[in-house]
Amino acid sequence: MRLLLIEDDDRIAEPLTEGLGRYGFTVERVRTGTAGLADTVQAPDLVLLDLGLPDMDGLDVCRTLRARSAIPIIMITARGEEADRVVGLELGADDYLAKPFGVRELVARIRAVTRRTGAQQALPQPAHAPAPEEARAAAPTAAAQRLGPLEIDRRTRQVRLEAREIALSPREFDLLAYLADDPGAVHSRQQIMDSVWDPHFFGPTKTLDAHVAALRRKLGDPAWIITARGVGFRLTVPGEAEPAEGAS
């Protein structure tokens, strides 16, 4: 699997490149956003993007990459604030990893993202059973699901709210579709991480909170996704029922 690492700090990039190489990844490293966006860069399978680049903000690089293609993007950065995570995810990043982190954690994130986004041809696949995505693809497709003014079309992976299409990242769509499988039911954080991310996901689950926050913003009302404090989240149609917990 070929990775593009956009990172200007040699102290981070060199050991990271070496470590990922031990796991069988081929890493091309560039130091600037301009170089990462250059036409001379061979199309990678996944991009590892630092936000603190010397020539331009990594968020602008993410925006440009996402406008060009659906290539998976994992942000790796020292910026750990929720606002940065949410903005990055809203721009189309598939995951967000705050420094410092271990190579094993990054490898787990890469594998989880490639499974979820369909870039699986470069990863070993189990022979005994299809991946969840393959099982869903093999099942008969139903009409788009409607929840009040919200329409979720799993066949085309499109979401519309009051007939207006909502642009979601691949992970945001998977999260919304998972919650919509049983609307109103509370899904625990662990259930969501196992199903939408990966059963072997390593690291903090704050990425789930960032994706929930991004979905609430895009849907225009935090009441779409209700927090069951200490448990998880549930999907509701705003106005149809009074939630027992606050949407926070």
Side-chain angles (χ1 to χ4, degrees):
M1 184 176 185
R2 188 173 175 280
L3 310 177
L4 173 61
L5 172 62
I6 307 177
E7 169 64 70
D8 65 305
D9 192 337
D10 292 339
R11 295 170 299 177
I12 295 174
E14 290 176 0
L16 193 57
T17 299
E18 180 182 351
L20 288 170
R22 290 198 296 268
Y23 281 87
F25 295 98
T26 299
V27 182
E28 178 179 357
R29 184 261 182 123
V30 296
R31 290 178 168 81
T32 65
T34 301
L37 295 173
D39 294 336
T40 54
V41 174
Q42 183 180 350
D45 298 304
L46 183 143
V47 175
L48 302 174
L49 172 63
D50 181 30
L51 293 190
L53 299 172
D55 61 333
M56 59 192 301
D57 195 301
L59 293 174
D60 293 325
V61 178
C62 179
R63 181 186 295 107
T64 303
L65 287 172
R66 182 55 68 236
R68 291 180 179 179
S69 73
I71 184 171
I73 301 170
I74 298 178
M75 290 184 169
I76 52 172
T77 177
R79 302 182 193 175
E81 297 298 323
E82 180 182 8
D84 290 311
R85 296 196 301 270
V86 170
V87 170
L89 294 169
E90 285 186 335
L91 289 176
D94 297 282
D95 206 347
Y96 192 112
L97 191 57
K99 302 173 184 175
F101 56 85
V103 173
R104 290 180 62 186
E105 179 179 357
L106 177 57
V107 169
R109 300 286 186 104
I110 291 171
R111 288 172 174 168
V113 165
T114 51
R115 289 189 192 102
R116 298 305 306 173
T117 58
Q120 304 181 65
Q121 63 275 11
L123 294 175
Q125 294 299 306
H128 60 279
E133 294 83 356
E134 295 170 349
R136 284 196 294 267
T141 56
Q145 180 182 7
R146 294 182 181 275
L147 297 168
L150 183 68
E151 178 182 311
I152 303 171
D153 191 328
R154 290 170 174 78
R155 184 177 62 84
T156 62
R157 296 182 65 84
Q158 290 179 307
V159 174
R160 295 179 178 84
L161 182 61
E162 296 180 344
R164 177 175 61 88
E165 185 168 350
I166 305 296
L168 301 181
S169 72
R171 185 61 59 77
E172 289 167 359
F173 179 89
D174 291 335
L175 174 57
L176 179 63
Y178 176 77
L179 294 175
D181 281 341
D182 192 0
V186 175
H187 303 267
S188 73
R189 298 177 68 89
Q190 191 59 54
Q191 287 173 332
I192 296 171
M193 295 303 297
D194 287 351
S195 300
V196 180
W197 272 259
D198 185 87
H200 304 293
F201 179 86
F202 296 100
T205 60
K206 289 184 178 180
T207 185
L208 170 57
D209 299 280
H211 279 77
V212 168
L215 269 178
R216 285 171 171 163
R217 287 192 180 190
K218 292 185 177 183
L219 294 174
D221 188 339
W224 276 105
I225 302 177
I226 302 299
T227 300
R229 298 191 186 281
V231 182
F233 301 95
R234 59 190 176 93
L235 185 70
T236 66
V237 178
E240 286 195 359
E242 290 296 323
E245 303 281 352
S248 62

